[in-house]
Amino acid sequence: MSVAGRIVRNSSFQLADAVVSGILGLIMTGVLARYLGPQGYGQYALVMAIVPLFQFVSEWGVDQVALREISRSRAEAGRIIANTVLLKVGPSLAAVALCWLVLFFSGYSAEVTAAARIYSLFLLAHVIGPVSLAFTADLRSEYLVFSDILATALNFLLLLAVVQLSGGLPSIFVAALVAVTVRETLGLYFARRYVAIDFRLDRALCRRLLSQTPTFGVTRLLISLSGSITLLLLSKLETDEALGLYGAAARIPVMLVYVPTILTASLFPLLAARHASDRAGLRRLYVRGMELVLMVVLPAVVGGWLVADQLIGALFGGKFSAAVPVFQWLMVQWLCLSVGMLVSQTLVAVDGERLAAWLNAFVAGGLLIGGLVAIPAGGALGAAVAASAVYALAMVVGLIVLAR
């Protein structure tokens, strides 16, 4: 099969996964928003912002390094995957412990703290996440689609049960944790049928992987901060209701991140492979990827602006009407983020991970400064406008850097 055919095939499976999971996710979001209200949904969004911050401790970039190594040396896939899993056990335990320690001093409510502690256990489930790297490197995502859809459906059913039983915030995250555990366990099952994974420690390989992780680890931290910092600032500078409005408005753009993720996940192994052997082909692949991103994302942004009022009302209800302009600006942020993701992944594929890290540092710093200025003046809407401006600047800088 041709390169284009492999990309289309792999992306089609991922798109099917994203569509089914996205529809169920939107329904779950609507159920949660109506059940919790703006204030309760703000607390839910806060938990979703806190826990991923600690994922950088459990990963520290080793997954990305492993994927690049597998893409360049498929014969070593089994050994690389096994040792990547082993490398993540200790850091994952440390990530959970650090999360609990920070929560102890955070000053958040007892319900938010309890929910975050429960959800932090997903960091342990992600220890076995690297088993999916063989599928990613070979563009065979169909093996992962089943487990993703099943886990999302299970989460949906468990959430309905929680709502029916009038469960609290911690119960909602117990349901999510169960679904994540099922997904990762199924991923391990399929991976062991696809590639021989021998869980024996190879110290030389571990040293080789770890020697490449520092920059990736910093990038992972910066991405985690970028994804959470606005919500964390809102939690300290604004009310739970403002936090809920922003969290609801961000829900659709966050789900839509699947679109550039699908494309970049399919392109990255091919870009990494061509860096060593076909620079002209690499550039053609990058240009084609950018065309695909813009072809999909631009119409969605325009459509989102035009139907924002109806969309927010249908999903969240009248109590969230103030989230409409916030959603419109976050769709602009999504456009800039989508382009930036392709630029960042291309930089990593050509061993430019330090430049990618600097771009992510620019975003994290910009979101912090912009949030501190814009949130007291404009609340949730100010936060959205500031975030869009920061990602737009980062996109322009990234395009200029990559062009050189």
Side-chain angles (χ1 to χ4, degrees):
M1 185 180 293
S2 67
V3 171
R6 291 170 64 199
I7 293 175
V8 170
R9 179 178 179 277
N10 190 64
S11 297
S12 297
F13 278 110
Q14 290 184 312
L15 182 60
D17 182 12
V19 168
V20 175
S21 299
I23 291 172
L24 288 175
L26 285 176
I27 296 173
M28 284 193 289
T29 298
V31 170
L32 271 176
R34 285 173 166 79
Y35 176 61
L36 297 173
Q39 182 175 350
Y41 193 81
Q43 294 177 332
Y44 170 82
L46 178 58
V47 174
M48 294 293 288
I50 292 171
V51 175
L53 274 175
F54 300 91
Q55 195 168 348
F56 85 95
V57 178
S58 63
E59 291 187 2
W60 197 243
V62 70
D63 286 37
Q64 189 77 13
V65 172
L67 176 57
R68 188 170 67 179
E69 292 298 306
I70 293 170
S71 300
R72 294 175 179 178
S73 180
R74 181 62 179 80
E76 288 191 284
R79 287 198 312 120
I80 293 172
I81 289 170
N83 281 270
T84 302
V85 170
L86 294 173
L87 284 171
K88 292 181 68 174
V89 174
S92 295
L93 291 169
V96 174
L98 181 60
C99 180
W100 283 43
L101 180 63
V102 170
L103 286 168
F104 181 79
F105 293 103
S106 67
Y108 290 124
S109 69
E111 190 170 30
V112 168
T113 300
R117 283 175 175 167
I118 291 168
Y119 194 52
S120 70
L121 298 178
F122 100 99
L123 297 168
L124 299 180
H126 278 196
V127 168
I128 58 177
V131 299
S132 67
L133 294 177
F135 305 131
T136 304
D138 288 351
L139 303 182
R140 299 297 301 272
S141 62
E142 66 267 25
Y143 287 92
L144 302 175
V145 169
F146 173 75
S147 56
D148 281 345
I149 292 177
L150 181 62
T152 303
L154 177 61
N155 193 8
F156 176 64
L157 293 174
L158 291 173
L159 175 62
L160 291 179
V162 170
V163 172
Q164 187 67 28
L165 296 171
S166 301
L169 198 62
S171 300
I172 292 170
F173 283 97
V174 168
L177 179 62
V178 170
V180 169
T181 303
V182 168
R183 183 188 65 199
E184 299 297 348
T185 303
L186 284 173
L188 176 60
Y189 171 77
F190 289 125
R192 298 201 72 169
R193 294 171 64 90
Y194 182 75
V195 63
I197 303 176
D198 183 6
F199 288 100
R200 286 186 298 182
L201 185 65
D202 183 332
R203 289 183 174 82
L205 176 57
C206 287
R207 285 194 294 269
R208 192 176 95 203
L209 293 172
L210 289 173
S211 68
Q212 302 176 59
T213 59
T215 302
F216 286 102
V218 172
T219 300
R220 178 72 243 184
L221 170 61
L222 293 170
I223 290 174
S224 297
L225 286 172
S226 299
S228 300
I229 195 166
T230 300
L231 287 167
L232 294 175
L233 287 174
L234 280 166
S235 74
K236 295 298 184 182
L237 301 176
E238 273 286 348
T239 63
D240 284 343
E241 183 174 352
L243 182 61
L245 292 174
Y246 188 93
R251 191 60 183 153
I252 295 175
V254 167
M255 287 183 171
L256 288 174
V257 170
Y258 278 119
V259 175
T261 299
I262 288 169
L263 290 172
T264 55
S266 297
L267 285 170
F268 180 80
L270 303 175
L271 290 167
R274 277 162 176 71
H275 173 56
S277 59
D278 184 7
R279 298 296 181 90
L282 184 150
R283 178 166 291 277
R284 288 194 299 271
L285 197 58
Y286 163 72
V287 171
R288 181 56 178 161
M290 187 64 71
E291 291 172 350
L292 287 172
V293 168
L294 294 176
M295 184 172 62
V296 173
V297 172
L298 273 175
V301 173
V302 174
W305 268 78
L306 294 176
V307 301
D309 194 20
Q310 296 88 337
L311 188 59
I312 295 297
L315 283 175
F316 305 109
K319 293 181 179 179
F320 287 84
S321 58
V324 170
V326 180
F327 166 74
Q328 290 173 320
W329 278 102
L330 289 179
M331 287 297 288
V332 175
Q333 175 191 321
W334 173 63
L335 166 64
C336 301
L337 173 63
S338 298
V339 174
M341 285 178 66
L342 178 57
V343 170
S344 180
Q345 288 289 73
T346 304
L347 284 171
V348 172
V350 300
D351 299 324
E353 54 266 24
R354 290 189 178 182
L355 292 173
W358 279 110
L359 283 175
N360 284 294
F362 175 83
V363 170
L367 290 174
L368 175 61
I369 296 171
L372 288 172
V373 173
I375 290 173
L381 179 57
V385 173
S388 299
V390 169
Y391 276 97
L393 284 172
M395 176 188 69
V396 172
V397 172
L399 289 169
I400 293 172
V401 168
L402 194 58
R404 294 181 178 180

